[in-house]
C-alpha cells in the first residue's frame, strides 16, 4: 500500500482581551533583614496601589521569589561577600481596557514604589484558540495533500492517520516594558496602547492512502 504524508501548519490570530502585568521588586543591602524589609515594603506599596485601582490585592500572585548572595573579586583574586539581592516577581491579569490599564499605571507611578513592570497582552481563553489552530492545521494539511496529489497525477484514498506531537501550541504575545525609574518619573499622558493581534501556531501531519 502506497501512502503520502503531508504536513500542515495552522496559524490563527486573535485580538487580545487581557493584559498581564508582571511587577518585579528588587532590593539590595549588606544586611539581610534590611534587604528583605526594603523588598517587602515595595511589594506592600504595590498591593496598596492595586487596591486603590479597584482591584482585589489577592489577584496579585507571586511567580518568583529569590534571595541571592552577592560576591565580588578583590585585586588579589579573593572573592568576598558583597551583600544580598532580593527579588520578588508578581503577576496580575486584568481585562484589556485602556481606561483600567492607564489607571493602574498612573497609580503605580504616583506611589513611587520603584517596581519594574512588564505588560503583555493575551487572550483569556487559550484553549478555544488552541482548538482553532489545530482545526486550521488540519485544513491546511488536507489542502496541501489535494494539491500535491493533483500535481503528481495521483488519487488520494482514505485518511489513514493523523500525527500530532502534542506539543504546546506556540503563542506570540506583544510585550511592553517600563522600569522602576520610568514609572517613578510619572506618565505625563495616558498611554494609547494598541497591542498587535495574538498569533498562535501548530502543525499536524496527515497520512493518506494512494489509490492505484
Amino acid at each position: 500500500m502506497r501512502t503520502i504524508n503531508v504536513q500542515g501548519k495552522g496559524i490563527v490570530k486573535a485580538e487580545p482581551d487581557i493584559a498581564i502585568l508582571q511587577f518585579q521588586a528588587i532590593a539590595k543591602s549588606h544586611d539581610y533583614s534590611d534587604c528583605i524589609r526594603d523588598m517587602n515594603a515595595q511589594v506592600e506599596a504595590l498591593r496598596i496601589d492595586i487596591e486603590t485601582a479597584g482591584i482585589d490585592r489577592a489577584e496579585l500572585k507571586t511567580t518568583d521569589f529569590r534571595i541571592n548572595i552577592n560576591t565580588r573579586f578583590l585585586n588579589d583574586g579573593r572573592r568576598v561577600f558583597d551583600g544580598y539581592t532580593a527579588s520578588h516577581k508578581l503577576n496580575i491579569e486584568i481585562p484589556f481596557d485602556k481606561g483600567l490599564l492607564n489607571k493602574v499605571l498612573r497609580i503605580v507611578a504616583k506611589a513611587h514604589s520603584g517596581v519594574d513592570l512588564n505588560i503583555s497582552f493575551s487572550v483569556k481563553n487559550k484553549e478555544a484558540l488552541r482548538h482553532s489552530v489545530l482545526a486550521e492545521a488540519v485544513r491546511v494539511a488536507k489542502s496541501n495533500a489535494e494539491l500535491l496529489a493533483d500535481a503528481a497525477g495521483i488519487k488520494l484514498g482514505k485518511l489513514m492517520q493523523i500525527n500530532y506531537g502534542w506539543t504546546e501550541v506556540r503563542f506570540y504575545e506583544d510585550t511592553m516594558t517600563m522600569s522602576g525609574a520610568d514609572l517613578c518619573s510619572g506618565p505625563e499622558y495616558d498611554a494609547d496602547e494598541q497591542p498587535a493581534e495574538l498569533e498562535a501556531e501548530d502543525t499536524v501531519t496527515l497520512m493518506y492512502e494512494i489509490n492505484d
Side-chain angles (χ1 to χ4, degrees):
M1 180 182 65
R2 296 185 301 159
T3 61
I4 181 173
N5 294 322
V6 182
Q7 188 177 79
K9 176 183 286 187
I11 300 176
V12 174
K13 294 183 178 182
E15 292 289 342
D17 58 10
I18 60 172
I20 304 169
L21 281 62
Q22 182 185 73
F23 300 94
Q24 183 176 22
I26 299 176
K28 297 180 180 181
S29 176
H30 275 74
D31 182 82
Y32 179 85
S33 297
D34 289 345
C35 186
I36 299 299
R37 184 184 65 247
D38 292 346
M39 182 188 64
N40 286 345
Q42 290 182 51
V43 173
E44 179 58 24
L46 176 61
R47 289 183 171 133
I48 293 173
D49 295 343
I50 294 298
E51 284 185 323
T52 303
I55 305 171
D56 185 355
R57 66 155 54 195
E59 295 297 316
L60 195 62
K61 305 293 186 182
T62 296
T63 59
D64 186 71
F65 182 95
R66 63 185 64 194
I67 301 169
N68 295 322
I69 298 176
N70 304 321
T71 58
R72 61 185 176 88
F73 287 94
L74 300 178
N75 292 333
D76 59 8
R78 287 184 299 127
R79 190 171 66 176
V80 297
F81 171 73
D82 195 30
Y84 301 92
T85 297
S87 171
H88 191 169
K89 292 183 179 180
L90 305 101
N91 276 15
I92 189 169
E93 289 186 7
I94 62 174
F96 175 48
D97 174 87
K98 289 184 180 181
L100 177 59
L101 182 55
N102 279 308
K103 181 180 181 181
V104 173
L105 293 180
R106 286 196 304 270
I107 291 173
V108 172
K110 185 177 180 180
H112 291 189
S113 63
V115 296
D116 293 337
L117 169 62
N118 285 330
I119 305 173
S120 59
F121 302 94
S122 188
V123 292
K124 191 170 186 65
N125 191 351
K126 282 190 171 68
E127 188 62 20
L129 187 58
R130 176 177 174 274
H131 291 171
S132 298
V133 169
L134 293 179
E136 177 64 8
V138 171
R139 184 196 69 78
V140 171
K142 182 179 179 181
S143 176
N144 289 342
E146 293 170 347
L147 179 64
L148 290 173
D150 184 62
I154 60 177
K155 291 185 179 181
L156 292 179
K158 63 181 179 180
L159 177 63
M160 302 294 294
Q161 191 173 341
I162 300 178
N163 294 317
Y164 174 61
W166 296 101
T167 56
E168 188 72 21
V169 176
R170 289 167 290 281
F171 295 96
Y172 301 96
E173 301 174 342
D174 198 16
T175 303
M176 59 182 290
T177 301
M178 297 183 72
S179 69
D182 291 335
L183 284 171
C184 285
S185 65
E188 185 176 353
Y189 304 102
D190 284 346
D192 186 15
E193 307 91 354
Q194 191 57 53
E197 289 180 310
L198 177 72
E199 186 174 291
E201 67 175 49
D202 210 338
T203 58
V204 298
T205 301
L206 304 184
M207 184 175 73
Y208 284 94
E209 181 183 8
I210 297 177
N211 287 338
D212 294 323

